[in-house]
Amino acid sequence: MVPNRQIYANILLDDWFKRTFGTEARKKIMELFLRELIPEHDIVELTYVNTEHTNPIEGKRDVRVDVECMDRDGTRFVVEMQLARQAHFYERALLNSTFAIQEQSVKGDINYDFPTVYFIALLDFSFHGKDSRPLYKYAIREETSGELMTPRLKYYILELPNCSKALTAEASIIDNFCYTLHNMSSFTSQPEELKDELFNLLFDSAEIATFTPKEKAKYEFDMTTERDIQNFIDYARQEGREEAKALRDAEIVKAMMAKKYPVEDISEITGLTASEIEKLS
């Protein structure tokens, strides 16, 4: 059950992140966010595109991203939300961004003049250790001179906990944005410092009282599932017994498969191989 005192939903959870940032009804949130994050790109009109990408290599898993949208000039924005550390994060970011490039190519076109692709990762943990900046930008550059190889592929990483300037006079919109997403479910009201259009829309979207009965039921189920997964992990860590590990493995796999977690994510959390996960599921 959702605690009675909880006013706003945790919009970082999978379906609720997509509801907030990946639906036509709330497209304004994505537009305002991207305008703040990438002010050099003049966003005109976003269109959501398919988040399922077919892997052209036979036998390899297809790729699904959280949210993907395209501006009128063809620029693509791939937006991913991660709640916990995962192995090979940079490599996964690179792989997932390439599908947005491939799908822009036109057969017979040999000049490869594809529009820019932005891969944007929102991390609910600090990935860079002691460096506490909320925003990191990456591009492909020559190793010695730093010369940019291409401006058409860019990577932005937002670390939500790195928001020490939030709610101060020095805070940027991005500082406050990270703070809001990281703390949304703990707010009891919308802070006065967060009253512009972007934050008004975020708080409106997250307010549980405005959910339909179906949405409320789904959110309570998701919250229970997330707590169960964490409880199983905590129990196994504390007990350290074989029977606890077996219980943890079976229950976590069942819960995560029900929520359509990628197999590699389940493997990273449980330490199981893909074949062991298949057997348990």
Side-chain angles (χ1 to χ4, degrees):
M1 295 289 291
V2 177
N4 291 331
R5 64 180 181 276
Q6 187 175 341
I7 307 299
Y8 300 102
N10 181 357
I11 57 176
L12 301 183
L13 299 180
D14 185 56
D15 288 339
W16 305 95
F17 181 80
K18 294 171 184 175
R19 176 183 180 271
T20 301
F21 292 96
T23 60
E24 285 290 332
R26 297 173 179 83
K27 184 166 66 175
K28 189 68 172 178
I29 295 176
M30 179 64 87
E31 290 177 344
L32 291 170
F33 163 57
L34 291 178
R35 284 171 185 158
E36 292 294 337
L37 183 66
I38 315 170
E40 65 273 19
H41 179 82
D42 184 21
I43 291 176
V44 178
E45 182 180 2
L46 294 180
T47 302
Y48 288 105
V49 298
N50 188 15
T51 58
E52 301 280 347
H53 299 284
T54 302
N55 196 319
I57 303 175
E58 186 176 354
K60 295 295 184 180
R61 295 180 68 253
D62 294 339
V63 170
R64 181 183 64 184
V65 298
D66 288 334
V67 178
E68 186 170 340
C69 52
M70 177 174 62
D71 202 0
R72 189 180 292 175
D73 65 354
T75 299
R76 293 267 185 141
F77 305 91
V78 179
V79 184
E80 287 271 77
M81 179 68 230
Q82 273 196 223
L83 295 174
R85 290 178 176 272
Q86 297 176 6
H88 310 296
F89 168 70
Y90 288 129
E91 290 76 14
R92 290 182 62 187
L94 183 62
L95 175 65
N96 290 357
S97 67
T98 61
F99 287 93
I101 296 172
Q102 293 176 50
E103 293 185 0
Q104 294 183 74
S105 62
V106 179
K107 289 184 178 180
D109 184 3
I110 59 173
N111 65 9
Y112 302 103
D113 189 23
F114 58 84
T116 303
V117 171
Y118 290 89
F119 181 90
I120 302 164
L122 281 67
L123 311 182
D124 198 33
F125 55 91
S126 295
F127 186 71
H128 287 85
K130 295 181 180 180
D131 194 346
S132 59
R133 287 184 290 136
L135 176 60
Y136 299 81
K137 300 180 182 181
Y138 291 87
I140 302 176
R141 297 181 179 274
E142 200 280 324
E143 190 170 289
T144 302
S145 68
E147 177 188 2
L148 186 65
M149 187 178 85
T150 173
R152 303 300 177 87
L153 192 53
K154 301 181 179 182
Y155 298 87
Y156 284 48
I157 299 176
L158 276 170
E159 299 183 14
L160 305 186
N162 298 352
C163 49
S164 58
K165 294 182 180 179
L167 307 187
T168 70
E170 301 170 351
S172 67
I173 294 294
I174 293 301
D175 289 323
N176 286 336
F177 176 84
C178 291
Y179 174 79
T180 300
L181 264 60
H182 184 60
N183 294 285
M184 179 63 82
S185 61
S186 65
F187 286 119
T188 56
S189 62
Q190 184 176 350
E192 286 299 320
E193 296 89 344
L194 305 175
K195 291 292 187 179
D196 69 8
E197 185 178 12
L198 172 58
F199 297 108
N200 289 342
L201 291 172
L202 277 174
F203 277 89
D204 287 346
S205 176
E207 189 173 359
I208 296 173
T210 67
F211 286 7
T212 66
K214 184 176 180 180
E215 287 175 330
K216 287 180 180 178
K218 176 67 168 62
Y219 182 67
E220 288 192 356
F221 172 80
D222 286 352
M223 287 292 289
T224 300
T225 302
E226 290 294 326
R227 283 196 295 270
D228 285 347
I229 290 172
Q230 190 58 52
N231 286 339
F232 292 134
I233 293 173
D234 292 344
Y235 174 68
R237 284 173 177 168
Q238 291 170 9
E239 296 297 322
R241 299 196 305 258
E242 284 302 314
E243 59 267 32
K245 183 179 185 303
L247 172 65
R248 181 201 70 170
D249 291 345
E251 295 297 337
I252 290 177
V253 167
K254 185 189 345 180
M256 297 187 79
M257 290 295 283
K259 291 199 67 182
K260 300 180 180 179
Y261 276 67
V263 172
E264 58 265 30
D265 291 359
I266 303 176
S267 178
E268 173 68 15
I269 289 174
T270 63
L272 298 171
T273 65
S275 60
E276 289 172 332
I277 291 169
E278 185 177 354
K279 290 178 182 178
L280 286 172
S281 65

